[in-house]
Amino acid sequence: MAVYTPTPAPENMENRISKKQIAEIVNDAYEHCKRIKEGNNAGYIPFLAKENSELFGISLCFVDGEMINIGDHEHIFGMESISKVATALLVLKEYGCETVLKMIGADATGMPYNSIMAILLEKDHPSTPLVNAGAIAAVSMVRPTGNKGQKWKSICDNVNALCGSRTEFIEELYHSEALCNFNNRSIAWLLKSYNRIYDDPELSLDLYTKQCSLGVTCQQLSTFAATIANGGVNPTSNTRIFESHLSPKITSMMASVGLYEHSGDWLFSSGIPAKTGVGGGIMGVLPGLFGIAAFAPPLDEAGNSVKAQAAIKFIMKKVGFNIFDNCSIRIDE
Ligand code: GLU
Protein backbone atom coordinates (compact mmCIF):
# COMPACT_ATOMS: atom_id res chain seq x y z
CA MET A 1 0.00 0.00 0.00
CA ALA A 2 1.34 3.45 -0.92
CA VAL A 3 2.38 5.52 2.07
CA TYR A 4 0.99 9.01 2.06
CA THR A 5 3.62 11.73 2.55
CA PRO A 6 2.25 15.21 3.05
CA THR A 7 3.84 18.17 1.27
CA PRO A 8 6.03 20.12 3.70
CA ALA A 9 4.64 23.48 4.82
CA PRO A 10 5.78 26.27 2.50
CA GLU A 11 8.53 28.61 3.67
CA ASN A 12 6.03 31.36 4.11
CA MET A 13 8.04 33.82 6.15
CA GLU A 14 7.42 36.57 3.58
CA ASN A 15 3.74 35.74 3.09
CA ARG A 16 4.44 34.53 -0.44
CA ILE A 17 3.17 31.34 -1.97
CA SER A 18 2.66 30.15 -5.54
CA LYS A 19 -0.53 28.77 -7.07
CA LYS A 20 1.38 25.55 -7.72
CA GLN A 21 2.19 25.22 -4.01
CA ILE A 22 -1.45 25.88 -3.14
CA ALA A 23 -2.54 23.20 -5.64
CA GLU A 24 -0.20 20.70 -3.93
CA ILE A 25 -1.62 21.65 -0.53
CA VAL A 26 -5.22 21.16 -1.76
CA ASN A 27 -4.22 17.76 -3.11
CA ASP A 28 -2.58 16.84 0.22
CA ALA A 29 -5.66 18.02 2.13
CA TYR A 30 -7.82 15.74 0.03
CA GLU A 31 -5.56 12.72 0.56
CA HIS A 32 -5.16 13.46 4.26
CA CYS A 33 -8.86 13.99 5.00
CA LYS A 34 -10.58 11.47 2.75
CA ARG A 35 -10.24 8.67 5.27
CA ILE A 36 -11.96 10.59 8.08
CA LYS A 37 -14.95 8.57 9.21
CA GLU A 38 -16.46 10.74 11.95
CA GLY A 39 -19.83 12.46 11.73
CA ASN A 40 -23.31 11.58 10.49
CA ASN A 41 -25.44 12.83 7.62
CA ALA A 42 -28.18 15.29 8.65
CA GLY A 43 -30.77 12.86 10.00
CA TYR A 44 -33.76 15.17 10.23
CA ILE A 45 -34.10 15.70 6.46
CA PRO A 46 -34.71 12.29 4.82
CA PHE A 47 -33.13 13.31 1.48
CA LEU A 48 -29.87 14.31 3.19
CA ALA A 49 -29.89 11.25 5.45
CA LYS A 50 -29.64 8.97 2.43
CA GLU A 51 -26.91 10.96 0.59
CA ASN A 52 -23.71 8.93 -0.06
CA SER A 53 -21.51 9.62 3.02
CA GLU A 54 -18.32 8.87 1.09
CA LEU A 55 -18.65 11.87 -1.25
CA PHE A 56 -15.85 14.40 -0.79
CA GLY A 57 -14.75 17.30 -2.97
CA ILE A 58 -12.72 20.49 -2.68
CA SER A 59 -12.58 23.53 -4.95
CA LEU A 60 -10.54 26.70 -4.59
CA CYS A 61 -11.12 29.73 -6.81
CA PHE A 62 -8.56 32.53 -6.93
CA VAL A 63 -9.73 36.12 -7.35
CA ASP A 64 -8.53 35.97 -10.97
CA GLY A 65 -10.95 33.08 -11.64
CA GLU A 66 -8.33 30.32 -11.84
CA MET A 67 -9.46 27.16 -10.02
CA ILE A 68 -8.08 24.11 -8.28
CA ASN A 69 -10.51 21.18 -8.05
CA ILE A 70 -10.29 17.70 -6.60
CA GLY A 71 -12.58 14.78 -5.74
CA ASP A 72 -16.35 15.10 -6.11
CA HIS A 73 -16.17 18.80 -6.92
CA GLU A 74 -18.84 18.47 -9.61
CA HIS A 75 -21.34 16.62 -7.45
CA ILE A 76 -24.57 18.61 -6.93
CA PHE A 77 -25.66 18.84 -3.29
CA GLY A 78 -28.13 20.88 -1.22
CA MET A 79 -26.91 24.40 -0.55
CA GLU A 80 -28.92 24.54 2.70
CA SER A 81 -27.68 27.30 5.00
CA ILE A 82 -25.05 28.55 2.57
CA SER A 83 -28.00 30.04 0.69
CA LYS A 84 -28.41 32.38 3.69
CA VAL A 85 -25.26 34.22 2.62
CA ALA A 86 -26.68 34.87 -0.86
CA THR A 87 -30.02 36.18 0.38
CA ALA A 88 -28.31 38.29 3.04
CA LEU A 89 -26.36 39.93 0.20
CA LEU A 90 -29.57 40.41 -1.76
CA VAL A 91 -31.31 42.30 1.05
CA LEU A 92 -28.13 44.26 1.82
CA LYS A 93 -28.26 45.34 -1.84
CA GLU A 94 -31.97 46.12 -1.75
CA TYR A 95 -32.15 47.90 1.62
CA GLY A 96 -28.61 48.99 2.56
CA CYS A 97 -26.56 48.01 5.62
CA GLU A 98 -28.18 50.26 8.22
CA THR A 99 -31.71 49.05 7.46
CA VAL A 100 -30.67 45.39 7.49
CA LEU A 101 -28.91 45.96 10.80
CA LYS A 102 -32.11 47.47 12.20
CA MET A 103 -34.57 44.97 10.72
CA ILE A 104 -32.51 41.79 11.29
CA GLY A 105 -29.13 42.56 12.86
CA ALA A 106 -25.65 41.03 12.72
CA ASP A 107 -25.20 39.45 16.13
CA ALA A 108 -24.15 35.89 16.81
CA THR A 109 -26.70 34.05 18.91
CA GLY A 110 -24.19 31.50 20.25
CA MET A 111 -26.95 28.93 19.87
CA PRO A 112 -27.90 26.26 17.32
CA TYR A 113 -29.03 27.47 13.88
CA ASN A 114 -32.68 26.63 14.49
CA SER A 115 -32.88 27.89 18.06
CA ILE A 116 -36.25 29.12 19.28
CA MET A 117 -34.68 30.04 22.60
CA ALA A 118 -32.49 32.59 20.78
CA ILE A 119 -35.61 34.33 19.48
CA LEU A 120 -37.26 34.31 22.91
CA LEU A 121 -34.15 35.74 24.55
CA GLU A 122 -33.56 38.35 21.87
CA LYS A 123 -37.13 39.40 21.20
CA ASP A 124 -36.30 43.07 21.20
CA HIS A 125 -32.81 42.52 19.88
CA PRO A 126 -31.83 41.68 16.33
CA SER A 127 -30.07 38.47 15.35
CA THR A 128 -28.37 37.73 11.98
CA PRO A 129 -29.48 36.65 8.49
CA LEU A 130 -27.17 33.63 8.81
CA VAL A 131 -29.29 31.66 11.32
CA ASN A 132 -32.75 30.28 10.49
CA ALA A 133 -34.75 33.06 12.17
CA GLY A 134 -32.78 35.88 10.53
CA ALA A 135 -32.72 34.02 7.22
CA ILE A 136 -36.51 33.61 7.17
CA ALA A 137 -36.76 37.33 8.02
CA ALA A 138 -34.31 38.12 5.17
CA VAL A 139 -36.39 36.11 2.69
CA SER A 140 -39.45 38.01 3.89
CA MET A 141 -37.68 41.29 3.03
CA VAL A 142 -36.84 40.30 -0.57
CA ARG A 143 -38.77 42.53 -2.96
CA PRO A 144 -41.49 42.65 -4.19
CA THR A 145 -43.46 41.94 -1.00
CA GLY A 146 -46.29 39.43 -1.45
CA ASN A 147 -45.19 38.34 -4.93
CA LYS A 148 -43.90 34.82 -4.41
CA GLY A 149 -42.99 34.19 -8.04
CA GLN A 150 -40.97 37.39 -8.43
CA LYS A 151 -39.28 36.95 -5.05
CA TRP A 152 -38.23 33.40 -5.95
CA LYS A 153 -36.87 34.58 -9.31
CA SER A 154 -34.89 37.30 -7.59
CA ILE A 155 -33.44 34.82 -5.04
CA CYS A 156 -32.44 32.35 -7.79
CA ASP A 157 -31.02 35.01 -10.13
CA ASN A 158 -28.87 36.28 -7.28
CA VAL A 159 -27.56 32.81 -6.33
CA ASN A 160 -26.82 32.00 -9.99
CA ALA A 161 -24.97 35.29 -10.50
CA LEU A 162 -22.86 34.70 -7.38
CA CYS A 163 -22.07 31.11 -8.43
CA GLY A 164 -21.29 32.12 -12.02
CA SER A 165 -23.66 29.51 -13.48
CA ARG A 166 -27.18 28.14 -13.09
CA THR A 167 -27.87 26.24 -9.89
CA GLU A 168 -30.34 23.35 -9.87
CA PHE A 169 -33.46 23.27 -7.72
CA ILE A 170 -33.57 19.81 -6.07
CA GLU A 171 -37.30 19.14 -6.01
CA GLU A 172 -36.95 15.95 -3.92
CA LEU A 173 -34.91 17.76 -1.26
CA TYR A 174 -37.47 20.56 -1.11
CA HIS A 175 -40.38 18.13 -0.58
CA SER A 176 -38.37 16.13 1.93
CA GLU A 177 -37.61 19.26 3.96
CA ALA A 178 -41.07 20.82 3.55
CA LEU A 179 -42.67 17.71 5.08
CA CYS A 180 -40.71 17.99 8.32
CA ASN A 181 -39.87 21.69 8.86
CA PHE A 182 -42.15 22.14 11.88
CA ASN A 183 -39.43 23.87 13.87
CA ASN A 184 -38.89 26.44 11.12
CA ARG A 185 -42.66 26.97 10.90
CA SER A 186 -42.68 27.80 14.63
CA ILE A 187 -39.82 30.23 14.04
CA ALA A 188 -41.69 32.00 11.21
CA TRP A 189 -44.80 32.49 13.35
CA LEU A 190 -42.83 33.48 16.45
CA LEU A 191 -41.11 36.15 14.36
CA LYS A 192 -44.56 37.32 13.31
CA SER A 193 -45.58 37.78 16.94
CA TYR A 194 -42.50 39.97 17.49
CA ASN A 195 -43.03 41.95 14.24
CA ARG A 196 -39.74 40.65 12.92
CA ILE A 197 -41.05 39.12 9.71
CA TYR A 198 -41.88 41.45 6.84
CA ASP A 199 -44.07 39.39 4.51
CA ASP A 200 -46.51 36.53 4.94
CA PRO A 201 -44.89 33.96 7.32
CA GLU A 202 -45.95 30.90 5.27
CA LEU A 203 -44.76 32.47 2.02
CA SER A 204 -41.43 33.38 3.65
CA LEU A 205 -40.99 29.93 5.19
CA ASP A 206 -41.70 28.24 1.86
CA LEU A 207 -39.22 30.41 -0.07
CA TYR A 208 -36.62 29.84 2.66
CA THR A 209 -37.11 26.06 2.34
CA LYS A 210 -36.83 26.35 -1.44
CA GLN A 211 -33.59 28.33 -1.33
CA CYS A 212 -32.09 25.72 1.03
CA SER A 213 -32.97 23.11 -1.64
CA LEU A 214 -30.94 24.73 -4.41
CA GLY A 215 -28.31 22.30 -5.62
CA VAL A 216 -24.74 23.49 -6.08
CA THR A 217 -21.28 22.06 -6.73
CA CYS A 218 -18.04 22.86 -4.91
CA GLN A 219 -16.94 24.73 -8.03
CA GLN A 220 -20.00 26.97 -7.89
CA LEU A 221 -19.54 27.60 -4.18
CA SER A 222 -15.84 28.44 -4.49
CA THR A 223 -16.80 30.90 -7.26
CA PHE A 224 -19.42 32.43 -4.94
CA ALA A 225 -16.81 32.74 -2.18
CA ALA A 226 -14.25 34.17 -4.63
CA THR A 227 -16.83 36.79 -5.67
CA ILE A 228 -16.98 37.93 -2.04
CA ALA A 229 -13.16 37.76 -1.76
CA ASN A 230 -12.96 39.81 -4.96
CA GLY A 231 -15.07 42.73 -3.72
CA GLY A 232 -18.31 41.73 -5.45
CA VAL A 233 -16.99 40.98 -8.96
CA ASN A 234 -17.50 37.37 -10.00
CA PRO A 235 -14.06 36.39 -11.33
CA THR A 236 -15.40 33.69 -13.66
CA SER A 237 -18.04 35.84 -15.38
CA ASN A 238 -16.24 39.17 -14.85
CA THR A 239 -19.53 40.68 -13.73
CA ARG A 240 -20.10 42.95 -10.75
CA ILE A 241 -22.73 41.27 -8.55
CA PHE A 242 -22.67 43.67 -5.59
CA GLU A 243 -20.87 46.83 -4.45
CA SER A 244 -17.44 46.24 -2.95
CA HIS A 245 -18.35 47.79 0.44
CA LEU A 246 -20.66 44.81 1.06
CA SER A 247 -17.78 42.29 0.98
CA PRO A 248 -16.46 43.08 4.48
CA LYS A 249 -20.05 43.27 5.77
CA ILE A 250 -21.02 39.79 4.63
CA THR A 251 -17.60 38.37 5.59
CA SER A 252 -18.05 39.74 9.12
CA MET A 253 -21.42 37.99 9.36
CA MET A 254 -19.85 34.73 8.23
CA ALA A 255 -17.04 35.16 10.75
CA SER A 256 -19.40 35.72 13.68
CA VAL A 257 -21.90 32.93 13.08
CA GLY A 258 -20.92 30.87 10.00
CA LEU A 259 -20.40 27.68 12.00
CA TYR A 260 -23.14 28.44 14.53
CA GLU A 261 -22.17 27.73 18.14
CA HIS A 262 -18.74 26.54 16.92
CA SER A 263 -17.93 29.77 15.07
CA GLY A 264 -15.38 30.98 17.62
CA ASP A 265 -13.53 27.66 17.72
CA TRP A 266 -13.55 27.58 13.93
CA LEU A 267 -12.13 31.08 13.50
CA PHE A 268 -9.53 30.44 16.18
CA SER A 269 -8.30 27.27 14.54
CA SER A 270 -8.77 28.00 10.81
CA GLY A 271 -8.31 31.77 10.42
CA ILE A 272 -10.90 31.99 7.63
CA PRO A 273 -14.53 33.20 7.79
CA ALA A 274 -16.80 30.48 6.45
CA LYS A 275 -20.41 29.36 6.17
CA THR A 276 -21.65 25.81 6.41
CA GLY A 277 -24.82 24.01 5.39
CA VAL A 278 -26.32 20.76 6.66
CA GLY A 279 -26.03 19.41 3.11
CA GLY A 280 -22.31 19.00 3.94
CA GLY A 281 -20.92 22.07 2.20
CA ILE A 282 -18.62 24.74 3.61
CA MET A 283 -17.66 27.93 1.81
CA GLY A 284 -14.75 30.08 3.06
CA VAL A 285 -13.60 33.57 2.06
CA LEU A 286 -10.02 34.81 2.23
CA PRO A 287 -10.46 38.49 1.27
CA GLY A 288 -8.41 39.59 -1.74
CA LEU A 289 -6.98 36.10 -2.33
CA PHE A 290 -9.43 33.26 -2.88
CA GLY A 291 -12.70 31.53 -2.13
CA ILE A 292 -12.72 27.89 -1.07
CA ALA A 293 -15.44 25.25 -0.84
CA ALA A 294 -15.39 21.70 0.47
CA PHE A 295 -18.18 19.15 0.60
CA ALA A 296 -18.71 15.90 2.51
CA PRO A 297 -22.13 14.93 3.98
CA PRO A 298 -21.27 13.66 7.52
CA LEU A 299 -21.74 16.44 10.09
CA ASP A 300 -20.64 17.14 13.65
CA GLU A 301 -23.22 17.75 16.39
CA ALA A 302 -23.54 21.45 15.46
CA GLY A 303 -24.41 20.62 11.83
CA ASN A 304 -21.03 21.36 10.21
CA SER A 305 -19.32 18.90 7.82
CA VAL A 306 -16.50 17.10 9.64
CA LYS A 307 -14.36 16.33 6.58
CA ALA A 308 -14.90 19.71 4.92
CA GLN A 309 -13.84 21.48 8.13
CA ALA A 310 -10.74 19.29 8.39
CA ALA A 311 -9.81 19.93 4.75
CA ILE A 312 -10.15 23.72 4.94
CA LYS A 313 -8.26 23.85 8.26
CA PHE A 314 -5.49 21.73 6.74
CA ILE A 315 -5.24 24.05 3.73
CA MET A 316 -5.26 27.23 5.81
CA LYS A 317 -2.55 25.93 8.10
CA LYS A 318 -0.26 24.96 5.21
CA VAL A 319 -0.97 28.09 3.18
CA GLY A 320 0.00 30.05 6.27
CA PHE A 321 -2.38 33.01 5.92
CA ASN A 322 -4.95 34.14 8.46
CA ILE A 323 -7.42 37.03 8.24
CA PHE A 324 -6.23 38.23 11.63
CA ASP A 325 -2.63 38.52 10.44
CA ASN A 326 -0.84 41.77 9.94
CA CYS A 327 -2.87 43.79 7.48
CA SER A 328 -1.07 45.04 4.41
CA ILE A 329 -2.34 48.66 4.45
CA ARG A 330 0.52 51.13 4.93
CA ILE A 331 -0.02 54.26 7.01
CA ASP A 332 2.02 57.17 5.62
CA GLU A 333 4.01 59.51 7.88
N1 GLU B 1 -32.70 23.89 5.77
C1 GLU B 1 -31.99 23.68 6.98
C2 GLU B 1 -32.88 24.03 8.15
O1 GLU B 1 -33.57 25.00 8.06
C3 GLU B 1 -30.76 24.52 6.98
C4 GLU B 1 -29.90 24.33 8.18
C5 GLU B 1 -28.42 24.44 7.92
O2 GLU B 1 -27.97 24.16 6.81
O3 GLU B 1 -27.70 24.81 8.85
O4 GLU B 1 -32.93 23.35 9.12
Side-chain angles (χ1 to χ4, degrees), residues 44-45 80-81 84 113 132 177 184 208 212 260 276-278:
Y44 72 106
I45 300 173
E80 295 296 340
S81 276
K84 291 169 177 158
Y113 55 86
N132 290 17
E177 192 156 344
N184 286 342
Y208 164 79
C212 288
Y260 305 118
T276 64
V278 293

Side-chain angles (χ1 to χ4, degrees), residues 25-318:
I25 291 170
V26 171
N27 191 56
D28 286 348
Y30 180 80
E31 293 301 326
H32 183 80
C33 299
K34 73 179 180 196
R35 287 177 203 88
I36 294 175
K37 290 273 176 251
E38 281 88 43
N40 294 301
N41 288 21
Y44 72 106
I45 300 173
F47 180 91
L48 299 179
K50 63 180 172 56
E51 178 74 287
N52 176 359
S53 314
E54 298 295 319
L55 289 164
F56 180 36
I58 308 174
S59 176
L60 186 148
C61 181
F62 293 102
V63 290
D64 63 4
E66 207 173 307
M67 272 196 190
I68 299 164
N69 297 304
I70 191 158
D72 300 305
H73 57 93
E74 286 179 318
H75 179 82
I76 296 172
F77 58 94
M79 199 176 191
E80 295 296 340
S81 276
I82 303 172
S83 64
K84 291 169 177 158
V85 180
T87 302
L89 275 164
L90 181 59
V91 294
L92 282 165
K93 264 167 49 168
E94 289 185 346
Y95 291 79
C97 297
E98 285 313 309
T99 306
V100 170
L101 194 62
K102 230 179 334 195
M103 292 174 78
I104 304 176
D107 255 347
T109 64
M111 291 190 198
Y113 55 86
N114 55 1
S115 175
I116 289 195
M117 183 72 80
I119 307 170
L120 297 174
L121 291 174
E122 302 186 6
K123 61 180 189 294
D124 58 348
H125 181 65
S127 151
T128 162
L130 302 194
V131 298
N132 290 17
I136 296 170
V139 167
S140 78
M141 286 170 70
V142 171
R143 290 180 172 135
T145 310
N147 187 332
K148 197 170 180 180
Q150 275 302 319
K151 283 173 78 123
W152 177 233
K153 181 174 181 319
S154 176
I155 289 169
C156 292
D157 287 350
N158 180 54
V159 172
N160 294 341
L162 288 162
C163 290
S165 54
R166 240 185 110 73
T167 53
E168 185 182 308
F169 178 58
I170 310 175
E171 189 97 31
E172 198 189 335
L173 172 56
Y174 164 66
H175 289 301
S176 179
E177 192 156 344
L179 282 175
C180 58
N181 63 352
F182 309 114
N183 191 87
N184 286 342
R185 175 157 288 121
S186 317
I187 289 176
W189 284 100
L190 196 55
L191 289 174
K192 174 81 176 160
S193 77
Y194 292 139
N195 293 321
R196 282 176 53 197
I197 195 157
Y198 311 102
D199 203 336
D200 178 73
E202 290 295 332
L203 176 153
S204 308
L205 172 70
D206 191 44
L207 288 181
Y208 164 79
T209 311
K210 281 179 98 164
Q211 74 171 24
C212 288
S213 308
L214 285 172
V216 285
T217 64
C218 282
Q219 281 177 258
Q220 288 177 311
L221 280 188
S222 72
T223 305
F224 178 173
T227 304
I228 300 175
N230 194 33
V233 175
N234 183 318
T236 61
S237 64
N238 272 320
T239 313
R240 178 166 288 288
I241 315 299
F242 58 85
E243 292 304 315
S244 59
H245 72 97
L246 294 182
S247 269
K249 298 296 182 197
I250 195 70
T251 311
S252 80
M253 284 175 169
M254 291 168 69
S256 62
V257 76
L259 276 81
Y260 305 118
E261 66 269 40
H262 289 178
S263 300
D265 285 358
W266 167 259
L267 218 45
F268 184 85
S269 49
S270 72
I272 183 170
K275 182 71 202 86
T276 64
V278 293
I282 305 187
M283 171 182 98
V285 175
L286 201 53
L289 296 177
F290 59 71
I292 186 165
F295 158 68
L299 312 175
D300 65 16
E301 72 287 358
N304 304 314
S305 169
V306 177
K307 234 185 249 186
Q309 285 183 78
I312 297 178
K313 274 191 206 169
F314 182 104
I315 292 166
M316 289 306 295
K317 190 166 176 212
K318 297 273 178 176

